[in-house]
Structures are given as structure tokens and as C-alpha cells.
């Protein structure tokens, strides 16, 4: 969007997440899904750090959660 880098996050159960949203936020998220195929999108312009740094943090947390999920 507008030549801006974004991180899109796909969810295991996006419908459960969407049911928790309300009003205008829910409307915007549904519209976003139609454009980019992810319910959660984080724009670089709204971050207090570089998008690359956030990406590495998210990736690290995701890998840890995968290990925990496999251990169960």
C-alpha cells in the first residue's frame, strides 16, 4: 500500500480472530483481507523500530512457539 513495506500475519484460525473484532476495525480488516490475504498487517510507518527488526522478532517468537507446539 502506497509503496510502504508491511508485515502480513496469517493465522491458524482467522475466523476466530475476526469474531473478536468489532465495528469499523472489523470492516477494515475484512477489506484488507480481500486485498492482501492476511487479517493482520503491520505497516512500516507505524513502527518505533525498523520493519526488518520487527520481522526478526516475530520470526524468532514464531519459531519458539512451533517448538513448544511440537513438544506437547
Amino acid at each position: 500500500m502506497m509503496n510502504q513495506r508491511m508485515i502480513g500475519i496469517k493465522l491458524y484460525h482467522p475466523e476466530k480472530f475476526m469474531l473478536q473484532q468489532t465495528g469499523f476495525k472489523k470492516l477494515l480488516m475484512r477489506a484488507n483481507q480481500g486485498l492482501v490475504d492476511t487479517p493482520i498487517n503491520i505497516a512500516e510507518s507505524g513502527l518505533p523500530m525498523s520493519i526488518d527488526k520487527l520481522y526478526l522478532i516475530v520470526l524468532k517468537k514464531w519459531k519458539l512457539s512451533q517448538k513448544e507446539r511440537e513438544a506437547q
Side-chain angles (χ1 to χ4, degrees):
M1 291 176 72
M2 307 298 276
N3 297 324
Q4 173 172 210
R5 294 190 314 162
M6 301 183 93
I7 295 175
I9 300 176
K10 288 192 174 189
L11 304 172
Y12 286 113
H13 303 288
E15 63 283 350
K16 288 182 181 179
F17 178 76
M18 292 303 287
L19 286 172
Q20 296 173 355
Q21 308 311 308
T22 59
F24 191 62
K25 181 178 179 181
K26 187 174 191 171
L27 180 70
L28 289 175
M29 291 178 87
R30 286 232 184 264
N32 240 4
Q33 255 186 310
L35 296 172
V36 293
D37 194 35
T38 57
I40 300 172
N41 298 285
I42 304 168
E44 184 172 28
S45 65
L47 296 174
M49 65 183 77
S50 76
I51 200 163
D52 297 317
K53 184 174 181 178
L54 177 63
Y55 175 78
L56 292 175
I57 292 169
V58 170
L59 187 61
K60 182 179 178 182
K61 298 274 186 182
W62 181 74
K63 286 181 179 181
L64 285 173
S65 73
Q66 292 301 311
K67 287 180 184 177
E68 290 173 4
R69 182 172 266 179
E70 290 171 2
Q72 292 179 358

